[in-house]
Amino acid sequence: MKRCCLSASVRLWFLVSLSGWLSMVAALPGWAKDEPLSPPQQPNSSILQLSDIELPGTSAKLLVQQPTPTNPKPEEVIAITGVKAKSTEKGVEVILETAAGDKLQVVNRSTGNNFIADITGGQLRLANGEAFTFKSEKPLAGIMEITVINIDANTVRVTVIGEKALPVVELFDDNAGLIFAVASTETTAQEPEKPTQEQPAAQQDDPIELVVTGEQDGYNVQNATTATRTDTPLRDIPQSIQVVPQEVLRDRNARTVTEALETVPGVVSGDRPYGGAPLPANIIRGFNQTGFTGAAAFRNGFRDGDFYTITPIGTVERVEVLKGPASVLFGAGEPGGIVNVVTRQPLSNPFYEAAFEAGSFGTYQPSIDLSGPLTTDKNARYRFIAGYRGSGDFQGVGDYRLTTIAPSIAFSIGERTDLSLYYEYSNFISDPGYLSNAAILSDGSLTPRNFLTYYPDFQSAQFTAHRFGYTLEHEFSENLRLRNNIAINLTGNEETISTGFDLVDDRFLNPFSGSDVTRRRNNYFGQIDLLGKFNTGSISHQILAGFDYNQFDFRSDIFDTAENLPLIDIRNPVYDIPPPNYSAFRFIDANIQSFGIYLQDQITFSNKLKLLLGGRYDWITTNFSTTAFPDVPTQTDSAFSPRVGLVYQPSETIALYASYTQSFYPVSLFSNLRGESFEPTKGTQYEVGVKADFLNGRLSANLAAYNLTRTNVLTPDPANPTRSIQTGEQRSQGIELDVTGEILPGWKMILGYAYTDAEVTRDNTFPVGNRLPNVPEHQASLWTTYTIPEGTLEGLGFGLGLFYIGTRQIDLDNSFELGSYFRTDAALYYRRGRLNMAINFRNLFDIDAPAIAFGKAYVQRTEPFSVVGSIRWEF
């Protein structure tokens, strides 16, 4: 958190009556020193005053209304280069700093308890062109929040949210700018007929602490960090990226990150073998992201682990999905994209929330989220999140438990250095596992829902993860910053397996041998970034240069049964068998180390034209051994990953982009057991798209078309089928559309559609043209909510979710096609002040369909209808 005060030419003042001293902090990346403000002048008669405005005769909640201004030309958009807050005798002054405030126009309105001022002709932009947002939570009794954000290319929105009533507002003007006087809703009447004009005091220079954050509220998110590792507006990113914000996670009551991604087009659920386990398994643009070498999961921009990594949704603030190759910043990975979860951080203002959920299949979940300052100057802040989730399954045999404890602390060390420390403990127990498994019979039907594909007495899994690390940032100057991150994830896994993976005579499942497995998967990540900003003439540059190191250690000790387990009869299953004898031992051991250096330049030629250039070079060393092959030679790989992207904005609401980027993924495990050495697979993507804002910025859309090719795919050698050669190629091309935002006050939506043509384009085994497994050609989703904004039913809301998954193949041989399915979700909620109550319905019409399959004997089906009620209280 930094102090900021720039010389003010225009001021947007919010005076909130206080019974005591209000302290908040102005935290902006402006890094200038505080300067005193001059006293305001008497109201200027050239500006329309409240006394001159004829208010509506009925329910006059619209306090000030001027004609909607004509949008200025792009070159006339005024840069608001900072936001400053000061305490006064009567309240708070929040100042929007710009050199041409007289050219700004204001349209004010109210919705429910929200007072909204849209300032047309301006943008929140620092001197270097970087966008920012401003937020203050619970500044005093009766006021829930004050925010200042960009809502489109030429409009800034200021919102004051009353806790129980609409804040009373008075409009003033002086030679410096505009003044809004906002009184506490607990000490003033809600709708005075004619507010008294008073001159607000502005004599004191004591700074107030406010929270300025990159966190986004609502459905329509403006900025993201995943694509560039800098806080960049989505319209300036020449690649498809979609953000699932906190409000959507709560509205849908997403239980896992995989469920959170159901509204993201081009992303479908991958393998989830442990019931409702929070494991990061997804298929993006046709390619599976569950990498063995720790490439599947990312957290706060760092590599976090692999398929066995636990990601509790209770610690997640938002989820960002970057589609397409991402090796230029994140190193080795499959070409479809990455999923990066951004966790909740310590807050400067007190925040306390308790929640409880209960629902179908014995589900119950208490949780708390506590945050605030540890010192009076708020230079030390904390956050503590804890939760416990227990549930059964629809088959009546499962027991699933997830425990999460996550403390974190942040320090401001002087004015230029910030340090954040965190620890997270998570423990997931699945006893037994494989909640939704089924088999496909010859007539295409699934085995009955109550049929278990495993022996429940010998099927269980437990995951324990310890995460800890720190982030250190230091500013050398306004234009030069150093960032250092250390992230460690220590995961242990114990599992007993007795699942059938082979269908015999269309009647019996064959579990083969049972296994008792102990795994250790540890991930160590370190990174140093240098961020700089400079100009070459009229062209501005934002440079990111960095180095990172990652080590992933894997050890698996496996005890198999000496004999195969009995077959499971689908028509007459018998699960009571003698305990197996686990006596045959084998192991898998791997150590993967990678080093990467990267350089990125975000170049701004003008407000209309921006260029993104980036490149990265990686070195990866793999040591791998098994019981059968204990002396596999060390393999060393290296790769260069480029990215080039161009953004052109022909108007204030339209951005056109084109990009080229590559990725790589080492072919190092199981492939060189016979001494063979292979080059990494390579992903190459060409993408074009358009990003647009509608309805004065309330609604945003992104339309993307891409061609993504994966080369160096292993195929059998025609001269020797026991060997492999790298001549295979797979291609995914398609179109994706997502529309997010607020259609009307209270009516929000996320609409998504993806057409994905993912197929084999070269192979020695599978026919060219075969579709990639578990990738639907057509996928669509709609999630929409409506909240009644005023009246006796104010705060009552409804939600509806529609999710369509088209037909898919179960394997590369295209031996069987899974049918399409259409799922409906719904929600009913009530929000008033600090109370939030909701009922969420999943699979409302109880459809039963295969969700994903890895052969006819290993199918994960959709879960049946379920309902969960929740209550949250902020105190």
Side-chain angles (χ1 to χ4, degrees):
M1 187 175 301
K2 293 30 177 212
R3 303 279 187 185
C4 165
C5 175
L6 307 175
S7 59
S9 303
V10 65
R11 306 174 184 178
L12 184 60
W13 309 54
F14 290 97
L15 273 73
V16 188
S17 59
L18 303 171
S19 57
W21 188 260
L22 171 66
S23 55
M24 296 177 285
V25 116
L28 294 173
W31 310 304
K33 294 182 178 179
D34 286 344
E35 296 178 3
L37 285 174
S38 58
Q41 306 296 319
Q42 293 292 335
N44 191 322
S45 60
S46 64
I47 299 296
L48 188 64
Q49 304 297 305
L50 282 180
S51 58
D52 301 322
I53 300 174
E54 182 178 352
L55 299 178
T58 60
S59 185
K61 288 196 173 184
L62 182 60
L63 301 182
V64 182
Q65 180 68 63
Q66 297 176 359
T68 302
T70 304
N71 288 340
K73 299 177 181 179
E75 59 269 18
E76 296 177 351
V77 175
I78 306 304
I80 298 172
T81 57
V83 179
K84 178 187 175 182
K86 285 197 172 193
S87 176
T88 70
E89 294 178 355
K90 296 187 177 181
V92 180
E93 300 174 354
V94 179
I95 307 162
L96 276 65
E97 298 170 333
T98 180
D102 56 338
K103 296 182 181 179
L104 298 174
Q105 302 183 58
V106 181
V107 175
N108 300 332
R109 70 180 189 277
S110 60
T111 301
N113 293 343
N114 302 339
F115 176 83
I116 302 171
D118 285 345
I119 304 170
T120 305
Q123 276 281 280
L124 295 175
R125 298 279 176 180
L126 299 178
N128 54 34
E130 182 179 353
F132 64 93
T133 60
F134 173 94
K135 180 178 179 181
S136 171
E137 295 180 343
K138 299 180 182 178
L140 82 164
I143 302 297
M144 293 292 293
E145 185 176 89
I146 298 173
T147 60
V148 186
I149 64 171
N150 291 324
I151 64 169
D152 60 28
N154 74 300
T155 308
V156 174
R157 175 168 294 173
V158 181
T159 305
V160 183
I161 302 176
E163 182 176 350
K164 298 179 181 179
L166 176 70
V168 175
V169 178
E170 297 181 72
L171 174 62
F172 296 89
D173 174 69
D174 65 10
N175 293 334
L178 301 173
I179 303 173
F180 289 89
V182 182
S184 170
T185 58
E186 293 194 357
T187 58
T188 58
Q190 182 177 355
E191 295 178 1
E193 256 188 75
K194 189 173 180 180
T196 304
Q197 298 184 14
E198 295 182 1
Q199 180 178 347
Q203 305 293 337
Q204 302 185 37
D205 293 327
D206 297 327
I208 299 172
E209 294 192 354
L210 289 173
V211 177
V212 179
T213 174
E215 295 181 2
Q216 304 289 342
D217 290 331
Y219 280 26
N220 192 1
V221 177
Q222 301 293 323
N223 291 23
T225 60
T226 300
T228 61
R229 277 192 175 149
T230 62
D231 193 20
T232 303
L234 294 181
R235 63 185 296 117
D236 291 345
I237 299 173
Q239 199 168 338
S240 182
I241 182 170
Q242 190 166 347
V243 180
V244 184
Q246 177 64 208
E247 186 171 343
V248 176
L249 298 179
R250 287 203 171 184
D251 285 353
R252 295 192 59 231
N253 193 20
R255 299 171 298 174
T256 66
V257 173
T258 300
E259 287 187 5
L261 298 175
E262 291 174 331
T263 59
V264 181
V267 180
V268 294
S269 172
D271 188 18
R272 289 183 292 170
Y274 305 103
L279 300 174
N282 299 286
I283 300 171
I284 307 177
R285 286 187 171 176
F287 296 101
N288 203 319
Q289 306 304 299
T290 55
F292 184 85
T293 58
F298 288 85
R299 175 188 175 95
N300 296 323
F302 318 139
R303 191 179 299 274
D304 187 45
D306 68 347
F307 173 73
Y308 290 88
T309 297
I310 296 294
T311 306
I313 196 70
T315 62
V316 175
E317 176 67 29
R318 65 184 184 274
V319 183
E320 300 183 353
V321 183
L322 177 63
K323 300 175 185 176
S327 291
V328 68
L329 289 180
F330 300 99
E334 293 288 3
I338 69 166
V339 175
N340 178 39
V341 298
V342 180
T343 60
R344 302 181 186 181
Q345 302 298 315
L347 303 175
S348 295
N349 293 315
F351 174 80
Y352 312 109
E353 180 184 76
F356 183 78
E357 298 182 9
S360 301
F361 317 124
T363 297
Y364 63 99
Q365 177 172 300
S367 63
I368 57 172
D369 184 359
L370 312 175
S371 188
L374 291 171
T375 58
T376 56
D377 59 8
K378 301 187 179 181
N379 284 333
R381 305 166 297 281
Y382 80 96
R383 193 153 196 169
F384 180 80
I385 300 171
Y388 179 85
R389 183 182 184 91
S391 71
D393 65 11
F394 61 82
Q395 295 176 313
V397 298
D399 180 13
Y400 305 97
R401 287 161 280 164
L402 175 63
T403 303
T404 305
I405 301 173
S408 58
I409 189 169
F411 300 94
S412 294
I413 307 172
E415 296 185 354
R416 295 186 178 272
T417 305
D418 292 314
L419 174 65
S420 299
L421 305 169
Y422 73 91
Y423 169 76
E424 180 178 295
Y425 166 82
S426 54
N427 178 264
F428 176 77
I429 297 175
S430 173
D431 187 15
Y434 293 92
L435 166 70
S436 56
N437 265 25
I440 300 175
L441 304 179
S442 58
D443 61 359
S445 64
L446 295 175
T447 50
R449 273 181 173 170
N450 63 353
F451 172 72
L452 305 180
T453 63
Y454 54 85
Y455 290 102
D457 290 340
F458 312 107
Q459 183 81 34
S460 63
Q462 177 171 330
F463 301 82
T464 301
H466 300 271
R467 289 185 177 92
F468 51 93
Y470 71 82
T471 296
L472 177 66
E473 293 194 26
H474 177 73
E475 294 177 3
F476 297 102
S477 68
E478 293 182 3
N479 298 318
L480 188 61
R481 184 159 48 111
L482 181 69
R483 183 171 58 199
N484 172 228
N485 300 289
I486 296 293
I488 298 173
N489 182 357
L490 308 179
T491 297
N493 166 227
E494 297 179 0
E495 182 178 6
T496 304
I497 303 171
S498 64
T499 297
F501 294 102
D502 183 41
L503 187 60
V504 180
D505 297 333
D506 199 38
R507 177 171 176 177
F508 301 97
L509 278 179
N510 187 359
F512 303 111
S513 62
S515 300
D516 192 349
V517 186
T518 300
R519 299 186 182 95
R520 183 196 74 240
R521 310 173 89 87
N522 298 334
N523 195 76
Y524 308 89
F525 179 86
Q527 177 191 68
I528 297 178
D529 282 340
L530 189 65
L531 299 96
K533 299 172 184 178
F534 63 92
N535 294 331
T536 54
S538 61
I539 301 173
S540 65
H541 301 261
Q542 184 171 354
I543 295 290
L544 170 69
F547 165 83
D548 62 33
Y549 167 78
N550 192 84
Q551 177 176 319
F552 179 70
D553 294 327
F554 168 77
R555 172 76 184 195
S556 182
D557 294 320
I558 307 166
F559 290 89
D560 296 322
T561 57
E563 299 178 353
N564 288 349
L565 297 178
L567 301 179
I568 303 175
D569 189 343
I570 294 175
R571 299 177 188 173
N572 185 29
V574 176
Y575 299 111
D576 187 11
I577 63 173
N581 178 22
Y582 300 101
S583 58
F585 174 76
R586 55 192 172 95
F587 74 90
I588 302 173
D589 200 354
N591 173 269
I592 304 166
Q593 297 185 61
S594 64
F595 303 84
I597 56 173
Y598 46 90
L599 179 64
Q600 174 183 276
D601 190 4
Q602 295 173 257
I603 306 171
T604 301
F605 296 100
S606 67
N607 289 334
K608 292 186 175 182
L609 187 62
K610 298 172 184 179
L611 178 67
L612 175 62
L613 297 175
R616 176 186 175 106
Y617 203 89
D618 283 274
W619 298 266
I620 298 181
T621 300
T622 303
N623 291 290
F624 176 75
S625 62
T626 69
T627 305
F629 299 94
D631 299 318
V632 178
T634 298
Q635 179 166 325
T636 302
D637 295 295
S638 61
F640 175 71
S641 305
R643 175 167 66 173
V644 179
L646 186 67
V647 178
Y648 174 66
Q649 300 179 8
S651 70
E652 302 163 5
T653 58
I654 301 293
L656 308 176
Y657 72 89
S659 64
Y660 164 83
T661 185
Q662 286 188 340
S663 66
F664 77 99
Y665 192 72
V667 183
S668 55
L669 301 180
F670 299 105
S671 59
N672 61 356
L673 298 182
R674 296 177 177 86
E676 299 172 277
S677 182
F678 299 103
E679 295 293 322
T681 61
K682 181 180 293 186
T684 302
Q685 175 178 277
Y686 300 88
E687 180 177 335
V688 296
V690 56
K691 302 180 182 184
D693 294 326
F694 304 97
L695 303 180
N696 292 325
R698 297 197 307 270
L699 209 62
S700 295
N702 182 26
L703 177 64
Y706 66 90
N707 184 292
L708 175 57
T709 303
R710 184 174 182 249
T711 56
N712 289 345
V713 178
L714 292 182
T715 64
D717 186 348
N720 184 357
T722 64
R723 317 284 286 194
S724 297
I725 57 176
Q726 285 188 286
T727 60
E729 181 182 273
Q730 299 168 350
R731 186 212 61 208
S732 175
Q733 59 184 3
I735 298 174
E736 295 168 349
L737 170 68
D738 62 82
V739 183
T740 61
E742 189 173 14
I743 303 173
L744 294 171
W747 182 12
K748 300 175 181 178
M749 64 165 285
I750 299 179
L751 172 68
Y753 169 76
Y755 167 75
T756 308
D757 176 20
E759 63 180 15
V760 174
T761 51
R762 188 183 300 126
D763 202 282
N764 294 328
T765 301
F766 305 107
V768 171
N770 274 18
R771 289 167 57 185
L772 301 188
N774 293 301
V775 181
E777 190 173 15
H778 299 280
Q779 173 198 4
S781 65
L782 169 67
W783 172 259
T784 183
T785 62
Y786 179 73
T787 306
I788 298 175
E790 56 186 347
T792 57
L793 297 179
E794 177 185 347
L796 181 65
F798 313 88
L800 176 67
L802 306 174
F803 303 91
Y804 172 78
I805 300 293
T807 59
R808 295 135 291 149
Q809 297 292 331
I810 66 173
D811 52 29
L812 278 172
D813 200 31
N814 288 188
S815 61
F816 187 82
E817 183 178 80
L818 302 177
S820 62
Y821 69 88
F822 187 91
R823 193 187 85 236
T824 303
D825 295 350
L828 175 66
Y829 55 86
Y830 178 74
R831 296 166 183 160
R832 199 67 177 262
R834 300 179 179 180
L835 177 65
N836 187 339
M837 298 186 296
I839 302 176
N840 287 82
F841 307 90
R842 187 173 175 88
N843 196 0
L844 191 63
F845 299 106
D846 198 28
I847 60 103
D848 184 22
I852 189 171
F854 299 90
K856 285 190 173 183
Y858 184 27
V859 181
Q860 294 171 20
R861 72 198 318 155
T862 56
E863 296 179 30
F865 167 76
S866 63
V867 56
V868 174
S870 60
I871 182 169
R872 300 177 184 274
W873 177 259
E874 295 182 20
F875 56 94

